Amino acid sequence: MIIIDFFDHFMVRAVCAGLMLSCLCGPMGCLVLWKRLGFLGDTLAHASLLGVCIATLAQVSTMGCVLAVTLILAVILAQNHEKSTMALNTLLAIIAQTTLALGVIGLSMTPQRSNLTAFLFGDLLALTRMDLLLLLILVPAALFVLYLYWGDLLKTILSEDIAAADGLNVHYIRTLFMVTLAMTVAIASQLVGILMVASLLILPSATARILSRTPESMAKAAVGISMAGTVLGLHFSWEANVPTTPMITLSFMALFCVFYVIKKVIIKK
Amino acid sequence: MSIPLVQFKDVVYGVDGRTILDHITFDLFDGEFVSLIGPNGAGKTTFLKLLIGRIAPTSGAITLQKGIGIGYMPQSIHLDPTLPITVERFMDLYSDNRKEIHEALEAVRAKQLLNKNMAQLSGGELQRVLLARCLLSASQLLILDEPVQWVDFLGQRQLYELIIDYHQNKGRTILMVSHDLNLVLKRSDRVICLNSHICCEGKPDHVQSSAPYQALFPAAQDFTTYTHHHDHTHDHH
């Protein structure tokens, strides 16, 4: 019975989207953690509301506009990252709050104003076939980029100086990372909501850290945990009839606690 | 004379209107062992970062011989506790050759660290691993930024001997920032004393007896064992 309920039509779409998103957010979340750029993910997510607002006002594709805003912001940040005299996190906080405020005010002037909650907290259950198709293209593309540049990304995380001496174009790698992150955040913010992007990026990776000894195993574990948390969250939100994405976040948290306790117990032995 | 491996032509580097390096002209030739000394904030690390192409000069030109491999050892690396990486996997990022990795770690006496997490290494252990990493690639030019800091006294001598061995027996060209004014300085082919500009350069004896050197390191003479050859005045201009 439960199984039949579970594979009800929009649930199938939600599960598929959630699993695909997990594949991308696992490794991306790890990179964000390692680079200590959790704030950047948040900033890009907040800026995506500005994209929604512009799309509504200009009556163009929401996804396209969100992608454009996050990508432009990512490129600007990558360009000025080193020149800025202000600490990066301070700058990011200013941009995040400003774009969020602009987005909320802009949206309040459009018919979309009643949908603000959906933008902030997402609506995985309202996915369309188009969204799925987009995921089917963008996720493998982003994963392919990560696969190609994984070693270079790790090298630049460990030491940009060694990477440069090795002949890597550090600036290019950084821009590539920022652009991939912007794309990930743009997709994720539309599916799980602006305020939940950070949870999707950070929580599974943090849990995976407990279990891993190498960067690669951590990225894979993050994908697995993200998938498990997404399915659990969808299931319980369906059973209890509560909002989906907060339930996914709580599932991530539950998984974190479980693995943390297991690790502590094993170490004590 | 042959073409230099590295050539700085009137290089100036400044940030926010503050000049860090001022009109540096410098050649590094194949097979040389050059020591770079200078007080804190003299621009030594900046000098190295210009050389490896990490930053671009404000004016002037830096030319590297084509196809030259550089083994760079920074003062430290970014090790976030959230990044799980063993010494072996770290070395593996820079070389596909397992045997070479083991040999390099053996050379710096750090083979027992192979399966240790990088974030758990002590300061001295990390220095050894970083030195091993830079010995990995068949780089012709080794650029070492204070390679023995945090290393215990006995270890310092071992690592210096190892670096000198790579110079003398393996023909590597070495440019090293060092605070050791005794052992290393005397073994160098050439010493460059940097304090935003190059204040003196030449053979170790020559530099140590020059006025700018003695103005920068007045206490050094109490510790070093070199002998005075000529008289000079302590002229600070």
Side-chain angles (χ1 to χ4, degrees):
Chain A
M1 279 301 286
I2 291 170
I3 290 172
I4 294 167
D5 286 345
F6 196 70
F7 282 100
D8 199 56
H9 201 53
F10 61 90
M11 276 309 262
V12 172
R13 283 204 294 264
V15 170
C16 288
L19 293 183
M20 274 196 279
L21 206 54
S22 295
C23 289
L24 183 55
C25 285
M28 273 322 277
C30 291
L31 290 168
V32 165
L33 269 193
W34 300 335
K35 281 177 163 271
R36 296 187 198 163
L37 283 178
F39 237 43
L40 176 63
D42 250 359
T43 304
L44 291 170
H46 285 68
S48 67
L49 193 66
L50 190 61
V52 173
C53 165
I54 294 170
T56 313
L57 290 173
Q59 299 195 322
V60 291
S61 147
T62 310
M63 193 63 200
C65 230
V66 168
L67 265 175
V69 168
T70 52
L71 285 176
I72 290 169
L73 185 57
V75 170
I76 292 174
L77 283 171
Q79 297 297 329
N80 296 292
H81 176 235
E82 260 174 300
K83 289 175 211 148
S84 167
T85 46
M86 211 184 299
L88 181 65
N89 279 345
T90 314
L91 186 67
L92 288 177
I94 293 170
I95 295 173
Q97 300 312 320
T98 311
T99 48
L100 184 64
L102 282 175
V104 172
I105 291 173
L107 269 186
S108 74
M109 294 190 253
T110 71
Q112 287 272 36
R113 80 181 75 100
S114 51
N115 289 337
L116 187 60
T117 320
F119 291 125
L120 291 181
F121 298 102
D123 199 354
L124 206 49
L125 301 183
L127 274 178
T128 63
R129 273 158 205 260
M130 264 312 280
D131 291 330
L132 265 189
L133 197 67
L134 200 67
L135 273 176
L136 214 54
I137 298 165
L138 290 180
V139 170
L143 280 176
F144 186 63
V145 169
L146 286 185
Y147 174 75
L148 280 184
Y149 289 95
W150 185 253
D152 291 349
L153 283 165
L154 281 179
K155 282 186 194 177
T156 52
I157 286 170
L158 285 159
S159 168
E160 294 195 335
D161 295 333
I162 294 179
D166 263 14
L168 280 183
N169 185 338
V170 172
H171 183 74
Y172 170 71
I173 302 283
R174 183 191 305 126
T175 308
L176 194 80
F177 169 76
M178 298 279 239
V179 164
T180 316
L181 181 64
M183 209 177 84
T184 310
V185 168
I187 305 167
S189 69
Q190 293 308 291
L191 299 186
V192 300
I194 287 156
L195 297 180
M196 296 291 156
V197 171
S199 109
L200 198 61
L201 282 173
I202 305 299
L203 283 178
S205 321
T207 311
R209 174 64 188 95
I210 302 173
L211 307 168
S212 318
R213 271 180 64 76
T214 65
E216 292 72 28
S217 64
M218 178 163 155
K220 285 172 195 157
V223 171
I225 287 158
S226 184
M227 285 179 163
T230 305
V231 172
L232 281 176
L234 279 168
H235 176 70
F236 286 121
S237 84
W238 172 257
E239 290 280 299
N241 194 22
V242 290
T244 315
T245 34
M247 207 59 212
I248 294 177
T249 301
L250 288 184
S251 307
F252 287 154
M253 189 56 210
L255 287 171
F256 178 84
C257 293
V258 167
F259 285 115
Y260 186 79
V261 169
I262 290 174
K263 174 91 172 180
K264 285 285 157 190
V265 171
I266 288 172
I267 283 176
K268 269 186 185 163
K269 268 180 187 171
Chain B
M1 208 161 198
S2 59
I3 311 159
L5 285 184
V6 178
Q7 197 166 28
F8 278 49
K9 261 191 200 153
D10 205 23
V11 168
V12 176
Y13 181 78
V15 178
D16 298 333
R18 202 163 53 90
T19 305
I20 304 210
L21 289 174
D22 201 9
H23 298 285
I24 306 283
T25 295
F26 160 81
D27 289 334
L28 181 64
F29 291 94
D30 194 15
E32 268 193 309
F33 182 173
V34 175
S35 281
L36 191 59
I37 58 169
N40 295 121
K44 301 186 294 290
T45 299
T46 306
F47 184 99
L48 299 189
K49 287 191 178 187
L50 282 165
L51 200 164
I52 60 172
R54 179 72 185 83
I55 49 178
T58 310
S59 71
I62 298 168
T63 328
L64 266 68
Q65 208 176 78
K66 257 206 167 120
I68 181 181
I70 297 177
Y72 178 65
M73 177 176 174
Q75 281 191 28
S76 67
I77 59 170
H78 171 94
L79 284 173
D80 196 279
T82 62
L83 175 61
I85 187 163
T86 58
V87 170
E88 188 170 29
R89 178 69 187 103
F90 171 72
M91 298 289 278
D92 196 43
L93 278 174
Y94 304 93
S95 167
D96 301 328
N97 186 339
R98 194 138 298 231
K99 196 168 147 254
E100 189 188 48
I101 292 174
H102 287 207
E103 280 170 2
L105 284 170
E106 192 123 33
V108 299
R109 302 178 196 222
K111 207 176 168 195
Q112 73 283 2
L113 303 176
L114 206 60
N115 291 313
K116 253 195 153 180
N117 192 315
M118 289 287 286
Q120 289 165 349
L121 299 181
S122 74
E125 287 173 333
L126 180 61
Q127 289 299 108
R128 284 168 192 267
V129 171
L130 290 181
L131 182 59
R133 190 216 68 84
C134 113
L135 302 177
L136 272 182
S137 42
S139 318
Q140 203 174 346
L141 174 58
L142 301 184
I143 298 185
L144 314 170
D145 197 351
E146 299 190 34
V148 303
Q149 65 172 342
W150 319 119
V151 177
D152 56 66
F153 184 70
L154 189 67
Q156 290 196 3
R157 285 206 86 102
Q158 289 169 354
L159 293 188
Y160 277 141
E161 290 303 332
L162 179 73
I163 292 165
I164 290 166
D165 176 62
Y166 266 78
H167 169 242
Q168 288 179 342
N169 300 322
K170 296 186 175 148
R172 309 282 181 96
T173 307
I174 290 170
L175 175 64
M176 173 159 74
V177 170
S178 152
H179 285 300
D180 182 294
L181 298 175
N182 189 3
L183 174 90
V184 178
L185 218 57
K186 293 177 88 67
R187 306 278 287 266
S188 317
D189 296 325
R190 191 152 55 105
V191 176
I192 291 175
C193 184
L194 191 71
N195 191 15
S196 168
H197 64 288
I198 292 179
C199 30
C200 50
E201 72 169 299
K203 296 264 177 222
D205 277 357
H206 167 77
V207 168
Q208 284 184 316
S209 59
S210 70
Y213 176 86
Q214 291 180 0
L216 280 173
F217 304 102
Q221 293 144 70
D222 300 339
F223 300 111
T224 51
T225 52
Y226 91 104
T227 46
H228 268 280
H229 292 303
H230 15 244
D231 287 333
H232 44 73
T233 53
H234 285 253
D235 177 9
H236 292 251
H237 308 291

